Amino acid sequence: MNVAQDNEKDAPLQTGDLLRTITRLFTELQTLSFACCDVQSATQCTILTTLSREGDQTLTALTRRLNLDKAWLSRTTDQMAEDGLLVKAPHPNDRRALLLHLTDAGTQAAHALDTQLNAQAQRVLDRLPARDRAQTVRLLEHLRAALDAELQTETCCAPAPSAPQ
């Protein structure tokens, strides 16, 4: 077997490791930014940015969206309501559900965090050679679409693709 064939065979392993490493590093960077957020935890920052980006949600929908324990999320949103960042109100169409809505203070905090995260992303992009930046953004857009498509079809234990023979 020659080197080109070995590299082709190992490409999925290298790609998987690379994506996991990029995700871990990006998560670490975001966690550092969350530490500068004017709220008490990374979870609160995630709730702020999710509600700001996606709009009002029920506690159940937000639990599924963020893949968090419902009791944990309920306690966290209770604290955020006490801090004046969001309102937990009865859902107008389902009296069993609570609808989470950002207050003006919550919206301002979410926008401030979004600005901070966008500046951080720009600093990372600025570290790339100028000639590669536009292509990197295009590829990231394609990667986002591919990840979204995979999430729409992924099952928990999908079999790994078979290796080419």
Side-chain angles (χ1 to χ4, degrees):
M1 196 176 272
N2 66 36
V3 174
Q5 288 174 330
D6 284 345
N7 287 342
E8 286 177 19
K9 185 181 93 175
D10 294 339
L13 295 174
Q14 293 168 351
T15 302
D17 184 54
L18 182 59
L19 280 171
R20 287 187 298 275
T21 300
I22 289 168
T23 301
R24 179 185 53 77
L25 291 170
F26 188 70
T27 300
E28 286 180 30
L29 274 174
Q30 292 225 308
T31 300
L32 289 173
S33 287
F34 288 162
C36 301
C37 184
D38 285 339
V39 295
Q40 297 175 4
S41 70
T43 302
Q44 288 185 1
C45 290
T46 303
I47 292 167
L48 281 174
T49 56
T50 301
L51 291 176
S52 175
R53 183 179 54 252
E54 299 176 11
D56 299 353
Q57 294 191 29
T58 64
L59 188 61
T60 301
L62 192 60
T63 298
R64 279 193 300 265
R65 179 76 173 111
L66 300 180
N67 195 28
L68 293 172
D69 176 73
K70 189 173 183 177
W72 172 262
L73 191 62
S74 181
R75 285 189 299 276
T76 302
T77 55
D78 283 347
Q79 182 61 54
M80 292 175 74
E82 284 181 34
D83 294 342
L85 297 171
L86 62 81
V87 174
K88 293 174 94 169
H91 192 286
N93 302 326
D94 182 354
R95 59 190 168 120
R96 298 167 298 161
L98 289 174
L99 192 62
L100 305 175
H101 173 77
L102 290 180
T103 63
D104 288 343
T107 299
Q108 288 175 357
H111 287 301
L113 179 60
D114 193 46
T115 298
Q116 183 177 332
L117 293 173
N118 288 340
Q120 179 189 68
Q122 188 61 52
R123 287 191 307 274
V124 169
L125 194 62
D126 288 346
R127 292 178 180 273
L128 298 176
R131 68 183 179 279
D132 295 339
R133 291 179 195 153
Q135 182 180 10
T136 299
V137 171
R138 280 193 304 279
L139 291 173
L140 286 171
E141 289 168 350
H142 291 300
L143 180 59
R144 184 210 45 82
L147 289 168
D148 189 48
E150 184 70 11
L151 273 172
Q152 301 306 316
T153 60
E154 181 65 24
T155 59
C156 180
C157 297
S162 59
Q165 305 260 332

